[in-house]
């Protein structure tokens, strides 16, 4: 290559990244790269620039087909590289953007130039500048016929746009076309774009094409199609949920690469739902076995390891499948044992597989032998010089320790009971030694010395392990170490994590209360506001409640020790706000409780806090409340209170505070100081922070008052929900027999739009609007039967009704359409609109108060109702009767008005609802079902066969027959349209065609058509 | 899943970056800067792994490798194996080495689109697609050949498109 010639000529070797590729055997893969660094130091910038220029010119000639860049691009890269400051770079880029804007608008740009412009745009955006003006050009390029431009266009749009960008709509059509292209490179480029640019809404537009590609002739395309489906699954699992069987089938594709790709989506699927894939365990085991036996073609070897990435994926999947499943685990013992024996631990990739085996063993139900080999492997990792392997070793140890205790119980073996951190040298190079006394599975690892060096990652991993190993016997050492480490780091994110771990361990294993409070103080002092506020509240509660023992003495000691430690700390500068809140609260509650400290001493301290942190309102609030408590306790115990002068000024200052909260607290404090002992004691009793305050939610103490008011003619209260929400909510209740969820979101798709019905629904929904008695109807039975006041209440509703109407239809429509859109009982839905009363009176179920009125139903009305709703279908007889039962709830006054309205609607309605669903449903499914059955039978033998790899070696007849069947399917699916048309009649044919057309045009139908595609794609 | 691939030079300039979930330009820059500052602060001869929850959200790890003037960085989640990812970087560099024979930073800078082509053949939509550098090279060469061909003769695709439009 010319570029290389130039490089050598110019002595630019110092920039060379990797050159000599030694054989992986010699030193192991990870050191295969010997880096050549700075053979000839050359610091003269001018000279370097000259060199770069020469290279640029050389490359600019574009002698190396396809990828040569022009001089402008090189100049751009070079000048940006040489810019001395960010400002200079920005200036260069801005001029470049101007140039590009101009150039892209020029007519008739040669293709190579156009590509180059777009690449420059991408480059500029990578440097962090806005290139959005060029997005449209990139989109335009995807439409181009030339592969060069199309690929560049796709590359650019995948880097520029997100899946919700407005321009995506312009690309979807092109993608659809390209997915059907004859040129597999075009297909690949389109699949690449699909992965990035298709969002949940546009998935249906490309899904059929992508599924077709699963049987493409080129394995590269099949692989990418699977990955694209995987991506769809990640974006919206429901969109491809019907395609799961395809993944299973592709597991026995005759190309191992495709099989390997299938493992990715299967891994995701299995991690979501383990149980439905248990049957695959044996297949996975046999695949892994065959991979390790090197039955794959040589080209899948990597550093003399057969298909390591496939092995790793398989191990991960098997770990998922066999976790906690003894029989599944047992199937894997053999192959895992083989892996431990065979794995070459001198290469990086070999260790990767070993580590994966350890991970797998830590998930499954392991055998003692496997545990032992895992322990051996871990000890090798830990003893290794490579930090990477040490890291993996620590990680593996953490995993095994998690399971070891169970095994220990099972096997009555010794447990790792004392993991002591015995020696410790401070500062950065700390040495943590675990003395592992009875490690039953670590025979060769009795004393593991682990030196902690500047490697932060390793250190963190070690602390993670320590965290997992903590017990009450070693908690003190470990938490101390953790806190030291926490103090030493600056990374807030990790500090938070370590702080919360310290707190967790301290809460769980604290040997003594004093220790616990000390640790908490340290955590608050150093991690301060990074600590979750809950931790602070927990601490306060703990101090208030004690450690759960009924020993008041101990609790008091605990409190005293807390108060003492806080009084020490409080004078330190710059404490975190959260800590100060805790301190103030504890001092307020318990500062004077013991009698050791005088009220004026504590209140002085609290005033200091409020002064020193005058910008922090929360702290001030806590301090003032604490002051209030202290004074209250003083007053209650009958001592004379003399408010300190600084406290007085604080109160006065806060009385005029901008914060209403502080103001209120100050006023309360002032008022409290003026009260007598008895009153104060009932306001703020001593040590009552843990007493539950009972809140009477029903406000029952007001009952007498209400009774009085009602007797004197007031109207009883009707809750808001009953006033306004009754129609929708109750509708919902009445309709959903089978759906138990009352107010939850609906997740199933809405049913297909039916042309005639919605219009009817809307008209019937609109009809009642002008009718003022609509809302009052349901209450009429009540009003006739019960007191005057209730009649009045219904009149109130009437008035509310009027208000609603004033705001016009929308409010009405929204309420009614909500009910009409609850699909499965749409027929019922329309009938409820037509007479309103049904809905509202069926609502009586939730509102029990209306229940007793039912018996008063007029039999005449019942008959009317029966005649209106009667007769058409038997399946709805139960509902029919229920609606018949509700019917009479309608007021007599209204009957005349409603009857004519209802008469025309219900009968055709019911028919309409029944017929289309029945025909389209049955007719659309049947032919495909049959086809599916055909495919299933042919694919099953593939899925069940254990010798999957045998298929790769020599494509046996069975697979080819599957393939041909698949291709036939795509043909015959066209045929089935005709077939089905004869069986179905005109209606469904139209529907199918329309649907197909809609999909071709890339329009996203409102819902997935389950009958059409689910069955087709199986 | 792999979340991002980055190549950053020792001065902190991104040479190639690809995010497998969409990020705004600003976010990308922030992440690149964040990753670079993490990498800078690491001493030599330590492990190649970094837990990087603070930048990429919980459970994200980072593997990097330092070659001469470049950092190769992979960011991924818990469903990948760290050591395997380290080898994926190896695959990438091996492929680039075959592609440019004795690859250096300049090659990467000047062959921006080819870099993307190579990367797309190795990692697809955040999953490992191919780890054999010979296979990757074959695919890349075929692409460049066809691209050159399609560039030279623009008549053929026209007729194809006409057929396709039917």
């Amino acid at each position: 290559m010319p570029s290389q010639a130039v490089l050598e000529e110019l002595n630019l070797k110092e920039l060379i990244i990797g050159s000599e590729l030694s054989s992986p055997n010699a030193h192991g893969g990870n050191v295969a790269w010997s880096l050549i660094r700075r053979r000839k130091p050359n610091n003269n910038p001018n000279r370097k620039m000259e060199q770069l220029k020469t290279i640029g010119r050389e490359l600019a000639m574009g002698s190396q087909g396809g990828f040569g860049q022009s001089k402008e691009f090189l100049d751009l890269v070079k000048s940006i590289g040489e810019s001395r400051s960010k400002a200079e770079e920005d200036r260069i880029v801005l001029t470049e953007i101007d140039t590009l804007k101009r150039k892209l608008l020029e007519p008739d740009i040669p293709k190579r130039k156009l590509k180059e412009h777009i690449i420059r745009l991408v480059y500029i955006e990578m440097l962090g500048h806005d290139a959005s003006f060029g997005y449209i050009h990139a989109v335009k390029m995807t439409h181009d016929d030339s592969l060069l431009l199309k690929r560049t266009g796709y590359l650019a749009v995948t880097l520029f746009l997100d899946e919700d960008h407005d321009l995506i709509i312009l690309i979807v059509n092109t993608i659809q076309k390209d997915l059907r292209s004859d040129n597999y490179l075009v297909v690949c480029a389109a699949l690449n774009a699909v992965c990035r640019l298709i969002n949940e809404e546009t998935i249906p537009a490309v899904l059929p094409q992508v599924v077709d590609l699963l049987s493409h002739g080129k394995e590269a395309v099949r692989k990418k199609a699977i990955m694209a489906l995987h991506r769809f699954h990640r974006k919206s699992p429901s969109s491809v949920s019907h395609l799961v069987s395809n993944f299973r089938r592709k597991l026995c594709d005759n190309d191992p690469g495709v099989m390997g790709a299938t493992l990715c989506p299967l891994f995701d699927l299995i991690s979501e739902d383990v149980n439905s894939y248990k049957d695959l365990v044996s297949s996975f085991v046999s695949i892994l076995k065959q991979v390790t036996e090197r039955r794959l073609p040589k080209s899948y070897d990597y550093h003399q390891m057969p298909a390591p990435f496939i092995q790793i994926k398989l191990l991960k999947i098997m770990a998922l499948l066999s976790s906690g499943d003894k029989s599944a685990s047992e199937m894997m013992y053999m192959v895992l044992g083989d892996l431990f024996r065979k794995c070459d631990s001198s290469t990086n990739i070999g260790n990767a597989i070993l580590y994966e085996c350890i991970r797998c063993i830590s998930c499954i139900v392991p055998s003692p032998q496997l545990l032992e080999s895992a322990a051996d492997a871990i000890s090798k990792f830990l003893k290794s010089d490579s930090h990477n392997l040490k890291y993996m070793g620590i990680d593996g140890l953490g995993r095994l320790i998690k399971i070891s205790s169970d095994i220990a119980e099972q096997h009555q073996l010794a447990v790792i009971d004392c993991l002591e951190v015995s020696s410790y040298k401070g500062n950065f190079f700390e040495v943590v030694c675990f003395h592992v006394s009875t490690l039953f599975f670590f025979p060769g690892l009795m004393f593991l010395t682990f030196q902690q060096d500047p490697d932060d990652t390793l250190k963190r991993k070690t602390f993670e392990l320590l965290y997992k190993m903590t017990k009450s016997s070693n908690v003190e050492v470990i938490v101390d170490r953790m806190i030291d480490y926490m103090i030493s780091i600056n990374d807030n994110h990790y500090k938070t994590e370590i702080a919360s771990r310290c707190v967790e361990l301290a809460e769980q294993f604290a040997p003594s209360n004093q220790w616990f409070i000390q640790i908490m103080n340290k955590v608050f002092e150093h991690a301060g506001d990074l600590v979750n506020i809950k931790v602070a509240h927990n601490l306060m509660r703990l101090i208030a409640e004690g450690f759960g023992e009924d020993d008041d003495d101990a609790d008091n000691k605990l409190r005293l020790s807390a108060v003492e430690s806080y009084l020490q700390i409080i004078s330190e500068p710059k404490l975190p706000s959260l800590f100060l809140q805790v301190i103030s609260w504890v001092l307020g509650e318990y500062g004077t409780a013991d009698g050791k400290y005088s009220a004026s001493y504590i209140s002085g301290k609290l005033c200091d806090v409020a002064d020193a942190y005058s910008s922090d309102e929360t702290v001030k609030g806590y301090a003032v409340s604490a002051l209030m408590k202290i004074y209250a306790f003083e007053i209650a115990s009958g001592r004379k209170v003399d408010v300190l002068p600084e406290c007085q000024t604080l109160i006065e200052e806060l009385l005029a505070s901008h914060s209403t909260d502080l103001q209120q607290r100050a006023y309360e404090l002032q008022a409290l100081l003026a009260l007598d002992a008895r009153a104060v004691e009932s306001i703020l009793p001593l040590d009552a922070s843990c007493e539950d305050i009972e809140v009477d939610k029903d406000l029952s103490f007001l009952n007498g008052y209400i009774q009085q008011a009602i007797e004197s003619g007031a109207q009883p209260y009707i809750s808001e929900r009953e006033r306004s929400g009754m129609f929708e909510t109750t509708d919902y209740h009445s309709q959903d027999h089978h759906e138990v969820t009352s107010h939850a979101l609906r997740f199933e798709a809405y049913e297909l739009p039916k042309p005639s019905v919605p219009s009817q629904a809307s008209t019937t929904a609109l009809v009642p609007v002008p009718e003022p008695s609509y809302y009052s109807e349901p209450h009429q039975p009540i009003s006739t039967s019960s007191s005057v006041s209730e009649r009045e209440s219904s009149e109130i509703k009437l008035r509310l009704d009027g208000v609603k109407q004033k705001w016009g239809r929308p409010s009405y429509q929204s309420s009614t359409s909500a009910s009409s859109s609850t699909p499965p009982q749409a027929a019922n839905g329309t009938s409820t609109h037509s007479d309103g009363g049904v809905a509202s009176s069926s609502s009586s179920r939730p509102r029990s108060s209306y229940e007793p009125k039912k018996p008063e139903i007029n039999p005449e009305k019942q008959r009317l109702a029966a005649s209106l709703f009667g007769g058409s279908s038997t399946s709805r007889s139960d509902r029919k009767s229920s609606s018949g039962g509700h019917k009479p709830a309608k007021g007599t006054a209204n009957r005349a008005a409603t009857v004519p309205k209802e008469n025309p609607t219900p009968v055709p309605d019911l028919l309409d609802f029944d017929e289309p669903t029945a025909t389209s449903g049955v007719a659309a499914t049947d032919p495909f079902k049959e086809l599916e059955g055909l495919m299933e039978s042919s694919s099953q033998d593939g899925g069940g066969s254990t010798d999957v790899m045998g298929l790769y070696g020599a494509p046996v007849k069975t697979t080819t027959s599957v393939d041909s069947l698949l291709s036939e399917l795509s043909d015959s699916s066209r045929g089935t349209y005709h077939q089905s048309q004869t069986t179905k009649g005109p209606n469904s044919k139209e529907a199918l065609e329309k649907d197909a057309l809609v999909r071709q045009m890339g329009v996203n139908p409102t819902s997935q058509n389950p009958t059409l595609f689910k069955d087709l794609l199986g | 899943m792999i979340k991002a691939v980055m190549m950053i030079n020792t001065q902190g300039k991104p040479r190639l970056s690809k995010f497998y979930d969409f990020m705004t330009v600003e976010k990308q820059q922030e992440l690149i800067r964040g990753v670079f500052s993490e990498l800078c602060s690491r001493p030599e001869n330590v492990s190649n792994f970094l837990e990087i929850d603070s930048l990429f959200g919980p459970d994200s790890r980072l593997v990097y490798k330092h070659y001469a003037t470049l950092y190769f960085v992979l960011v991924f989640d818990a469903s990948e194996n760290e050591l395997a990812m380290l080898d994926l970087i190896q695959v990438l560099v091996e492929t680039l080495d075959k592609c440019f024979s004795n690859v250096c930073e300049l090659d990467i800078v000047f062959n921006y689109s080819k870099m993307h082509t190579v990367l797309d053949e190795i990692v697809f939509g955040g999953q490992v697609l191919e780890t054999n550098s010979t296979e990757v090279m074959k695919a890349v060469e075929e692409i460049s050949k066809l691209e050159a061909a399609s560039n030279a003769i623009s008549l053929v695709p026209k007729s194809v498109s006409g057929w396709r439009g039917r």
Side-chain angles (χ1 to χ4, degrees), chain A residues 20 91 96 177 257 277 290 338 348 393 411 514 579 628 635 659 674 702 736 805 835 850:
Chain A
E20 288 162 32
R91 211 165 42 243
E96 176 69 16
K177 209 172 68 186
Y277 297 89
Q290 290 165 68
D338 281 354
N348 189 52
H411 299 274
Q514 271 78 3
F579 193 31
M628 183 155 44
I635 295 171
S659 154
L702 284 173
D736 288 323
Q805 275 178 24
D835 65 352
Y850 292 165

Side-chain angles (χ1 to χ4, degrees), chain A residues 280-539:
Chain A
L280 287 178
V281 175
S282 60
S283 318
F284 286 132
V285 169
S286 77
I287 294 174
L288 182 59
K289 198 155 171 278
Q290 290 165 68
V291 173
T292 52
E293 283 166 3
R294 297 181 182 275
R295 291 181 51 187
L296 289 189
K298 265 271 174 276
S299 65
Y300 287 90
D301 282 9
Y302 173 79
H303 289 181
Q304 263 125 58
M305 191 58 81
F309 282 80
I310 291 179
Q311 288 192 41
I312 288 169
K313 262 271 139 37
L314 280 168
L315 283 167
K316 277 188 187 292
I317 289 177
M318 280 164 23
L320 281 179
L321 277 176
S322 323
S323 93
D325 182 341
K326 189 137 203 325
S327 59
S329 303
E330 272 162 3
M331 284 196 250
M332 301 166 42
Y333 287 169
M334 265 273 283
V335 70
L336 280 173
D338 281 354
L339 275 173
F340 272 120
R341 266 195 302 284
K342 280 184 191 164
C343 253
D344 172 16
S345 58
S346 63
T347 61
N348 189 52
I349 198 72
N351 286 322
I353 294 174
L354 274 180
Y355 167 72
E356 210 50 60
C357 288
I358 295 170
R359 222 167 120 162
C360 185
I361 285 170
S362 74
C363 292
I364 65 171
V365 181
S367 72
Q369 291 97 320
L370 280 182
L371 270 180
E372 208 164 292
S373 7
D376 279 349
I378 286 178
S379 73
K380 256 183 228 155
F381 281 172
L382 288 170
K383 282 179 201 152
S384 149
D385 289 335
S386 152
H387 283 81
N388 291 341
L389 292 185
K390 271 186 192 162
Y391 175 91
M392 299 324 264
I394 293 194
D395 187 88
L397 190 60
R399 284 171 196 281
L400 279 195
I401 276 177
K402 234 191 294 176
I403 56 160
S404 64
S405 57
D406 311 357
I407 306 160
E409 279 166 30
Q410 275 176 29
H411 299 274
Q412 296 293 311
L413 284 168
V415 198
I416 328 156
D417 56 353
C418 74
L419 279 163
E420 281 174 12
V421 183
S422 56
S423 82
Y424 166 66
K425 277 181 225 148
N427 285 338
F428 221 63
F429 289 86
E430 57 196 78
V431 184
V432 181
C433 294
F434 313 114
H435 179 215
V436 189
S437 67
T438 45
L439 270 178
F440 70 99
F441 57 81
F442 281 130
L445 198 69
M446 293 298 284
F447 194 84
L448 157 70
T449 314
F450 185 71
Q451 173 160 23
Q452 283 228 309
D453 52 21
D455 192 345
D456 221 38
T457 318
L458 205 52
K459 219 186 253 180
R460 287 181 190 189
K461 203 77 201 174
T462 316
F463 276 109
E464 210 180 300
L465 177 66
L466 286 175
Y467 166 74
K468 281 179 193 156
M469 292 187 339
T470 310
K471 300 180 171 261
S472 42
S473 56
N474 58 16
V475 64
E476 287 171 73
V477 197
I478 289 179
V479 172
D480 276 354
R481 208 106 323 148
M482 277 175 137
I483 286 178
D484 285 339
Y485 179 60
M486 184 185 82
I487 295 168
S488 75
I489 53 174
N490 296 318
D491 177 356
N492 272 355
H493 180 83
Y494 194 61
K495 217 172 188 166
T496 316
E497 199 180 308
I498 266 228
S500 70
R501 279 184 176 171
C502 285
V503 171
E504 194 187 316
L505 291 179
E507 282 178 349
Q508 219 175 332
F509 300 111
S512 75
N513 300 340
Q514 271 78 3
W515 180 84
F516 178 76
I517 287 173
Q518 266 172 23
I519 292 299
M520 295 310 279
N521 288 351
K522 271 192 198 160
V523 170
F524 277 119
E525 207 178 327
H526 298 288
D529 296 330
L530 300 173
V531 182
N532 191 331
I533 195 156
K534 270 190 198 148
V535 174
H537 291 168
N538 273 346
L539 176 64

Side-chain angles (χ1 to χ4, degrees), chain B residues 2 23 25 37 40 54 68 71 77 100 103 113 125 131 147 156 163:
Chain B
I2 297 168
M23 308 263 177
V25 182
S37 69
C40 284
S54 48
Y71 287 111
D77 64 13
F100 303 110
V103 62
S113 63
T131 52
E147 275 191 353
V156 180
W163 174 83

Side-chain angles (χ1 to χ4, degrees), chain A residues 68-136:
Chain A
Q69 311 286 351
S70 79
K71 179 148 174 14
E72 283 103 333
F73 182 75
L74 296 175
D75 283 347
L76 170 71
V77 173
K78 193 157 61 70
S79 54
I80 289 175
E82 283 161 4
S83 58
R84 300 257 178 281
S85 64
K86 184 81 183 129
E88 198 183 332
E89 186 192 310
D90 286 351
R91 211 165 42 243
I92 294 166
V93 171
L94 285 180
T95 29
E96 176 69 16
I97 287 175
D98 278 346
T99 329
L100 281 177
K101 264 186 195 161
R102 204 159 17 84
K103 286 201 168 166
L104 280 169
L105 290 176
E106 281 171 12
D108 296 330
I109 320 169
K111 279 178 181 162
R112 191 173 282 278
K113 271 260 175 281
L114 194 57
K115 175 194 169 179
E116 153 114 22
H117 292 333
I118 295 292
I119 293 292
R120 269 149 82 182
L121 269 181
V122 175
Y123 188 76
I124 285 169
E125 195 165 277
M126 186 187 72
L127 293 176
H129 299 271
D130 177 45
S132 52
F133 67 92
Y135 291 178
I136 187 72

Side-chain angles (χ1 to χ4, degrees), chain A residues 723-988:
Chain A
R723 278 198 305 263
S724 59
M726 54 171 50
F727 287 94
E728 300 114 88
T729 51
T730 51
D731 246 2
Y732 199 79
H733 277 289
S734 70
Q735 286 181 16
D736 288 323
H737 297 265
H738 56 280
E739 280 174 74
V740 197
T741 55
S742 52
H743 294 286
L745 280 173
R746 291 166 34 82
F747 288 110
E748 73 273 32
Y750 290 112
E751 62 176 31
L752 289 173
K754 300 209 173 59
S756 62
V757 177
S759 64
Q760 258 176 359
S762 65
T763 50
T764 48
L766 290 179
V767 175
V769 175
E771 193 181 274
S773 54
Y774 178 68
Y775 267 46
S776 70
E777 279 168 14
H779 301 283
Q780 246 159 346
I782 313 159
S783 50
T784 49
S785 65
S786 46
S787 71
V788 190
S789 63
E790 279 196 277
R791 183 181 290 280
E792 276 170 359
S793 81
S794 74
E795 269 162 26
I796 285 170
K797 269 178 210 153
L798 257 180
R799 260 179 264 133
L800 276 175
D801 227 3
V803 176
K804 272 202 170 175
Q805 275 178 24
K806 223 180 214 171
W807 291 106
R809 281 175 201 170
S811 68
Y812 247 118
Q813 270 182 321
S814 67
S815 71
T816 42
S817 65
S819 60
S820 74
S821 59
T822 39
Q825 284 87 8
N828 198 23
T830 37
S831 66
T832 50
H833 300 315
S834 56
D835 65 352
V838 173
S840 51
S841 59
S842 65
S843 71
S844 55
R845 225 184 311 156
R847 282 177 296 138
S848 55
S849 59
Y850 292 165
E851 211 81 70
K853 270 90 199 182
K854 268 193 176 168
E856 289 179 40
I857 286 164
N858 188 335
E860 193 196 324
K861 290 176 200 162
Q862 268 178 342
R863 243 175 290 129
L864 176 66
S867 64
L868 278 172
F869 287 87
S872 58
S873 76
T874 48
S875 66
R876 269 201 308 276
S877 61
D878 56 332
R879 197 177 305 142
K880 193 179 42 181
S881 72
S882 79
S883 66
H886 297 318
K887 186 74 200 122
K890 266 178 148 308
T892 18
N894 246 54
R895 227 167 71 206
T898 37
V899 171
K901 244 180 286 144
E902 284 168 338
N903 249 341
T905 45
V907 180
D909 236 20
L910 295 171
L911 288 174
D912 274 4
F913 267 105
D914 260 2
E915 297 301 0
T917 39
T919 43
S920 66
V922 171
T925 30
D926 264 350
F928 293 117
K929 268 264 163 64
E930 281 168 31
L931 252 172
E932 198 191 13
L934 262 175
M935 274 170 46
E936 212 83 307
S937 62
S938 62
S939 61
Q940 260 164 12
D941 53 5
S945 79
T946 42
D947 190 7
V948 187
M949 285 312 172
L951 298 178
Y952 299 140
V956 195
K957 267 170 193 167
T958 48
T959 43
T960 47
S961 75
V962 172
D963 277 355
S964 64
L965 228 155
L966 280 172
S967 62
E968 262 171 32
L969 171 69
S970 55
D971 289 351
S972 59
S973 66
R974 220 172 295 133
T976 30
Y977 277 85
H978 302 289
Q979 216 181 32
S980 55
Q981 159 191 345
T982 51
T983 53
K984 266 178 263 156
N987 245 353
S988 39

